[in-house]
Amino acid sequence: MKKVGVAILGLGVVGGGTYKILTDNKEYFKKTQGLDITVEMALEKNVDRAVSLGLAKSQVASSIEEVVSNPNVDIVVEVIGGVEPAKTFVLKALMSGKTVVTSNKELFAKHWPELESEAKKMNAGLFFEASCVGGVPIIRTLQEGMQANKIQSIKGIINGTTNYILTKMANEGSSYEEALKEAQRLGYAEFNPTADVEGFDATYKLSILSSLAFNTKIAIENVHREGITGVSKEDIKYGKELGYTLKLLGIGKNTENGIEVRVHPTFVANDNPLASVNDSFNAVHIVGDSVGEIMLYGRGAGALPTGSAIVSDVIFAARHTNYHYTMFDNSAKGNKETKFVSDFTSQYFIRLSVQDSTGVLSKIAGVFAKHNVSIREVKQVAERDGKVPVVIITHISPESAVNKALEKIKLIDGVFSVDSVIRLES
Amino acid sequence: MKKVGVAILGLGVVGGGTYKILTDNKEYFKKTQGLDITVEMALEKNVDRAVSLGLAKSQVASSIEEVVSNPNVDIVVEVIGGVEPAKTFVLKALMSGKTVVTSNKELFAKHWPELESEAKKMNAGLFFEASCVGGVPIIRTLQEGMQANKIQSIKGIINGTTNYILTKMANEGSSYEEALKEAQRLGYAEFNPTADVEGFDATYKLSILSSLAFNTKIAIENVHREGITGVSKEDIKYGKELGYTLKLLGIGKNTENGIEVRVHPTFVANDNPLASVNDSFNAVHIVGDSVGEIMLYGRGAGALPTGSAIVSDVIFAARHTNYHYTMFDNSAKGNKETKFVSDFTSQYFIRLSVQDSTGVLSKIAGVFAKHNVSIREVKQVAERDGKVPVVIITHISPESAVNKALEKIKLIDGVFSVDSVIRLES
């Protein structure tokens, strides 16, 4: 039976989950995969943590050199997170010819070409399923299940923290602040929630997933990013009344005018399968030219779901030796020639405060018409103090035209304010 | 660049879709996969059909021998369907050392071990992603994305025809006969719909998927099968009122008491993601011990979706040469020791016609209690002529206990009939 030695760099939540799966299911993997996988060592400063998980003290390395010089280690699992020291460790492992499995989305989003180039040079494997959408095998699906397709779009709820917050706001009418506090209390959001709520985490993942989907490197700088901190419970409520659910979506589209990649709060029509993905669940919806619509749904984070992706990569690497997915060795790939769309087209949900008089709405409609923004639906929500909230949903329009129209609309007598402009996917 | 020669056996709907994808995307596969894939020939009686697709007459073989003796053919795609002559053709291809890619669920469900044994002997690849759930990469996910997991359950809407019919019945209140006619008119159901509506198609797929999920051969004889021909619009209506949607589910569970595999109409709670899978869409929900819940959703049939799965296998086979998934070469696999559950446990939706008098319901509840069947919900739906339909939803109970209780309940004075007993998943 083939023996596989694994070293785990970092025994935090995901490292601990990975260790547990590899040790608990050791016999199962012998039977089902024909692989005898052993965790040979771990690199972890907190030796007590390592010992409490079940490692012997002698298995706890104190330097990356100890790990990469161990001939029994075939596969190095990096689950430290962040750029450094993870990057140095991963490069040293690759330079030693070890295959690397990582969950590190930030590292991959920022330094993928450099890592891949080193892996290729040394004929070492490099796998990163766990970097995106936790246990959901979305990268394997893109690389090994949908190769027949030119992918037209990828849309995902790829951050569980924000989805938990938005679900809570929708179901319980909470404010953003209230929902964030509850998410922090339950451990879904960190004390400093910036990476999640400002969309950085989703941006890293969308950068990786859209690179794979569109066969070209999408840098994080190419991703338009907006977080959920400005989302109001009024918008969620009015959206609900019109049949839409607010989600933080990562959206990648390969259009005739170029590639479009963006992370922002988005209203999703309730009959879209993404609308019913709730709480901390994640989902990715893909359209391919052959397969049509596909959606994958599951847990995007957590010790065991992310550990599941790590171990899946360990097994994949062990069974497909000398198999390397190379993204950047072909002149058709790489982002030199990639054209990005700067003026998105989308449907829009627009909320205005206007004076309750019949003439105002007709003036607003007139300005939209002049800018070729076609209106799909108007809802005058309720009256209060002569100030009326009006929600307008447009047909698909260029964002520049919508913005120009709104600049003019702000000047209309009887329009008090433009309160929200939120993109919408039906 | 690596050259790959493909022969397609059968240019029907799926064969045509496969040919189209392979030829339309030839340049794309060179760029993205580094593979130069050519359809070298096809085995097809209808030469005109082949020519109209774009093949030269000289590329149309008239015997399997012509195909397997062609040294330029590396991969044989079998999309004829049914057991013979497909089985003979596949075996001849494997015997010649050709890798086989097939969409043939019936062949695979019935003769998998024999095919695999031949493939192994000849060191030929054998891939069958397209046999289950069309374009959705469910087999790749089970084999290459969820290997870390002991899979606890697999539940799927794995037949598009029946899902179309049931969706139509639910949305429009149609009878089974009306919905079937509409499905036939639209080409979703065949003139002889038996394979779909009686659950044979779903049984083949569940046999394959649960074999992979539970690492043991599940023969079609091991699958309990019930179709949808007995489904009434009343049940769908009453279920809807209680928050359940009726689906034809394929269910596999790996329980302490053994493996349980069954295809039957099932009520699904509306907050279960399977409940909102409508029309001809398919979806498979899997629970793994590490990853928790996962669901894959997409098109289960059609020329291009199924062609997508075929071409994905062709590319996978070409990139992972000498890679063989072997199901039956390990003593831990094979179904010799597999224990099957015969007495399912489930929740039940039970519809009765009773006399409208207060004492009857209490007598019914008493009989259930005596048989340890715990009642979760009772709904007395409406009155008519003193005959009242009553719907009872049970907690999880052994089917034998439910049946024994119902035998007694039928004898209660004031119980006219037991109209429906439908299993329910929350």
Side-chain angles (χ1 to χ4, degrees), chain B residues 67-379:
Chain B
V67 174
V68 300
S69 63
N70 184 338
N72 294 329
V73 170
D74 306 294
I75 297 175
V76 173
V77 170
E78 184 275 307
V79 281
I80 300 167
V83 172
E84 283 297 352
K87 187 183 168 201
T88 302
F89 291 177
V90 165
L91 283 172
K92 285 196 177 171
L94 293 171
M95 283 175 200
S96 314
K98 311 287 188 199
T99 282
V100 169
V101 170
T102 176
S103 62
N104 196 328
K105 50 194 161 274
E106 184 177 357
L107 175 61
F108 236 78
K110 293 183 177 168
H111 299 285
W112 182 353
E114 192 181 343
L115 304 179
E116 181 176 306
S117 151
E118 192 60 40
K120 212 183 157 210
K121 200 167 77 188
M122 297 302 299
N123 198 29
L126 180 58
F127 298 90
F128 48 102
E129 177 66 78
S131 69
C132 294
V133 203
V136 179
I138 178 68
I139 290 181
R140 197 83 80 239
T141 296
L142 286 167
Q143 292 185 205
E144 308 290 350
M146 294 187 69
Q147 316 96 310
N149 293 268
K150 287 179 188 160
I151 292 175
Q152 294 159 346
S153 69
I154 179 163
K155 295 179 196 171
I157 295 168
I158 52 181
N159 179 275
T161 305
T162 48
N163 204 43
Y164 178 85
I165 292 171
L166 293 173
T167 302
K168 195 140 187 84
M169 289 176 74
N171 290 351
E172 300 177 18
S174 330
S175 69
Y176 167 74
E177 288 74 18
E178 288 161 350
L180 171 62
K181 258 184 206 151
E182 181 65 7
Q184 285 172 319
R185 199 182 63 79
L186 292 169
Y188 287 135
E190 301 195 34
F191 177 69
N192 176 352
T194 306
D196 292 315
V197 299
E198 294 291 4
F200 290 101
D201 176 85
T203 296
Y204 297 146
K205 292 171 186 165
L206 183 63
S207 149
I208 296 170
L209 294 176
S210 59
S211 295
L212 290 169
F214 306 137
N215 293 288
T216 187
K217 180 72 175 80
I218 313 284
I220 49 179
E221 294 74 27
N222 299 133
V223 181
H224 172 90
R225 178 185 54 76
E226 296 171 30
I228 64 162
T229 53
V231 164
S232 78
K233 61 181 177 183
E234 284 75 23
D235 286 322
I236 289 181
K237 195 187 82 174
Y238 297 144
K240 207 172 181 178
E241 289 171 8
L242 290 164
Y244 299 97
T245 304
L246 192 70
K247 297 292 182 191
L248 181 71
L249 286 199
I251 299 175
K253 292 183 182 175
N254 196 356
T255 75
E256 281 178 11
N257 300 321
I259 285 172
E260 185 173 320
V261 269
R262 40 195 171 100
V263 168
H264 52 68
T266 313
F267 274 114
V268 178
N270 282 345
D271 59 356
N272 182 318
L274 287 171
S276 38
V277 175
N278 287 321
D279 300 318
S280 65
F281 275 95
N282 284 21
V284 182
H285 180 275
I286 307 174
V287 178
D289 63 345
S290 300
V291 79
E293 284 184 65
I294 275 195
M295 191 177 86
L296 280 76
Y297 165 97
R299 291 266 171 218
L304 292 179
T306 309
S308 168
I310 295 267
V311 173
S312 158
D313 268 354
V314 167
I315 291 170
F316 192 86
R319 300 200 66 195
H320 304 261
T321 42
N322 288 313
Y323 176 75
H324 305 291
Y325 183 80
T326 49
M327 180 77 199
F328 305 110
D329 66 341
N330 189 311
S331 61
K333 299 181 182 179
N335 63 350
K336 277 170 212 153
E337 299 155 33
T338 304
K339 203 179 137 199
F340 288 94
V341 171
S342 52
D343 188 17
F344 310 143
T345 59
S346 179
Q347 288 187 264
Y348 292 84
F349 166 106
I350 296 159
R351 180 160 62 91
L352 308 157
S353 290
V354 305
Q355 194 165 18
D356 185 18
S357 77
T358 44
V360 178
L361 210 55
S362 123
K363 281 184 202 157
I364 292 171
V367 175
F368 275 128
K370 201 177 281 177
H371 289 81
N372 286 317
V373 175
S374 153
I375 291 176
R376 178 176 161 164
E377 195 172 353
V378 176
K379 184 161 180 170

Side-chain angles (χ1 to χ4, degrees), chain A residues 21 24-25 28-33 135-137 140-141 144-151 213 215 273 276 281 289-291 293-299 304-305 308 311-312 315-316 319-320 323-325 330 332-333, chain B residues 21 24-25 28-33 135-137 140-141 144-151 213 215 273 276 281 289-291 293-299 304-305 308 311-312 315-316 319-320 323-325 330 332-333:
Chain A
I21 297 170
D24 286 1
N25 286 359
Y28 180 72
F29 298 147
K30 283 188 191 170
K31 278 188 204 164
T32 57
Q33 304 292 333
V136 179
R140 199 83 78 236
T141 296
E144 308 290 351
M146 293 188 69
Q147 316 96 310
N149 293 268
K150 287 180 187 159
I151 292 176
N215 294 288
S276 39
F281 276 95
D289 63 345
S290 300
V291 78
E293 283 185 66
I294 273 194
M295 191 176 88
L296 280 76
Y297 165 98
R299 291 264 171 218
L304 293 179
S308 167
V311 173
S312 156
I315 292 170
F316 192 86
R319 301 199 65 195
H320 303 262
Y323 176 75
H324 305 291
Y325 182 80
N330 189 311
K333 300 181 182 180
Chain B
I21 297 170
D24 286 1
N25 287 359
Y28 180 73
F29 297 147
K30 283 189 192 172
K31 279 187 205 165
T32 58
Q33 304 292 333
V136 179
R140 197 83 80 239
T141 296
E144 308 290 350
M146 294 187 69
Q147 316 96 310
N149 293 268
K150 287 179 188 160
I151 292 175
N215 293 288
S276 38
F281 275 95
D289 63 345
S290 300
V291 79
E293 284 184 65
I294 275 195
M295 191 177 86
L296 280 76
Y297 165 97
R299 291 266 171 218
L304 292 179
S308 168
V311 173
S312 158
I315 291 170
F316 192 86
R319 300 200 66 195
H320 304 261
Y323 176 75
H324 305 291
Y325 183 80
N330 189 311
K333 299 181 182 179

Side-chain angles (χ1 to χ4, degrees), chain A residues 211-227:
Chain A
S211 294
L212 291 169
F214 306 138
N215 294 288
T216 187
K217 179 74 175 79
I218 313 284
I220 51 178
E221 294 74 26
N222 299 133
V223 181
H224 172 89
R225 177 186 54 76
E226 296 171 32

